[in-house]
Amino acid sequence: MTTICSTLEEWRALRRSAAWQGKTLGFVPTLGALHAGHAALLARARKENERVVLSIFVNPTQFDDPADLARYPRTLDSDLSLAEPYADAILAPSAKAMYPDDFRYRLAESALSPRLEGALRPGHFEGVLTIVLKLFNLVQPHRAYFGEKDWQQLQLVRGLVEALLLPVEIVACPTVRDPDGLALSSRNRRLSPAGRAAAARFPQILQSARDPAAAAAGLRAAGFDVDYVEECAGALTAAIRVEGVRLIDNVRR
Ligand code: PAF
């Protein structure tokens, strides 16, 4: 039975209850619009912890484009069905509860966050790091689960834990892909059938390119708008646009 907490008070009362005391707690933070990639994070958290919490919060401060925020799919009913087999609790707070300060207090990182995604989406990682810290404070998990698809986010969250001495273990989980290789993302559902079929070329080109320049050329030749392709810590990391939908991926070669 999954308990849904839509207020911070409900969550804090559950966290303090006898059934949760002294138990290891695994946490999966999300923006909702859950798919099999999130199910894999939840399944891993379920295996490694006595209690599992999922958060569903469409964090407004990480969207630099208001149209992108408005378009973000809200699919609470199907999210609940997907999470039910794994999560003991779902935290789905309001923006007012998460930002009592109207985002006057915010967390910035100065080296990695201005690059790649941060260069194209100003303020994105301030929003991500601020909400992740708030959620960690609220949930107080032993372990938190993040997908490797969002490579830059994963590095920044690891850095946050190290910099602020947070007592949480960050568990990185492999990217989940469709059979044709495209990484699962809530954005994929915005592609037309033709755009979705074409998008399968994205990971294939990254995988076979000898360097970032060759990958960028291959992606452009396949008809994609390329935002960046860079080699980072042994992985080729890239962002493209297909039918105006931004897709990101990284492959280790
Ligand atoms: O990766 C996401 O879904 C979000 O950036 C996160 C970590 C839940 C913060 O809002």
Side-chain angles (χ1 to χ4, degrees):
M1 180 49 199
T2 308
T3 306
I4 298 170
C5 303
S6 50
T7 68
L8 307 194
E9 294 69 31
E10 282 166 343
W11 160 250
R12 285 180 173 131
L14 184 67
R15 180 80 174 83
R16 277 195 307 268
S17 67
W20 286 66
Q21 285 301 306
K23 306 287 188 205
T24 53
L25 202 164
F27 176 43
V28 179
T30 76
L31 297 167
L34 304 185
H35 50 66
H38 297 108
L41 301 181
L42 285 163
R44 175 103 179 251
R46 180 79 275 164
K47 214 163 97 196
E48 296 178 353
N49 301 277
E50 292 161 295
R51 296 285 178 271
V52 173
V53 184
L54 165 80
S55 67
I56 297 178
F57 179 62
V58 184
N59 175 32
T61 65
Q62 70 187 75
F63 289 81
D64 53 305
D65 175 2
D68 205 21
L69 173 61
R71 254 193 322 254
Y72 194 84
R74 273 90 170 162
T75 56
L76 195 58
D77 287 345
S78 60
D79 289 354
L80 299 184
S81 326
L82 182 140
E84 182 99 69
Y86 310 101
D88 299 295
I90 296 177
L91 177 59
S94 68
K96 206 167 167 38
M98 294 309 291
Y99 288 100
D101 61 330
D102 286 330
F103 200 37
R104 280 185 300 118
Y105 289 80
R106 52 183 80 184
L107 195 60
E109 188 275 349
S110 57
L112 177 58
S113 50
R115 296 177 49 208
L116 304 168
E117 285 300 290
L120 288 140
R121 304 174 68 191
H124 170 67
F125 287 117
E126 264 188 25
V128 170
L129 292 174
T130 304
I131 198 65
V132 167
L133 180 60
K134 284 173 188 257
L135 288 167
F136 283 176
N137 284 337
L138 198 57
V139 173
Q140 297 174 21
H142 296 90
R143 300 188 184 88
Y145 295 78
F146 289 83
E148 286 175 347
K149 181 173 86 67
D150 295 303
W151 179 87
Q152 193 176 7
Q153 169 173 282
L154 174 63
Q155 306 315 313
L156 286 164
V157 169
R158 281 186 167 138
L160 167 73
V161 166
E162 195 187 345
L164 301 190
L165 317 177
L166 303 178
V168 53
E169 179 192 339
I170 302 301
V171 182
C173 300
T175 302
V176 179
R177 297 179 182 279
D178 271 334
D180 65 4
L182 184 67
L184 297 191
S185 163
S186 58
R187 290 171 186 268
N188 295 356
R189 62 184 85 176
R190 284 172 31 204
L191 296 169
S192 72
R196 170 63 193 80
R201 294 283 292 128
F202 180 28
Q204 293 163 6
I205 291 168
L206 287 184
Q207 198 71 58
S208 59
R210 65 181 178 282
D211 58 33
L219 290 166
R220 284 196 187 95
F224 302 127
D225 294 314
V226 178
D227 283 343
Y228 60 80
V229 184
E230 281 192 35
E231 189 91 47
C232 295
L236 210 51
T237 303
I240 59 164
R241 276 165 288 126
V242 186
E243 298 177 333
V245 179
R246 272 190 99 243
L247 302 179
I248 63 172
D249 203 351
N250 63 87
V251 298
R252 205 156 276 286
R253 295 146 337 121

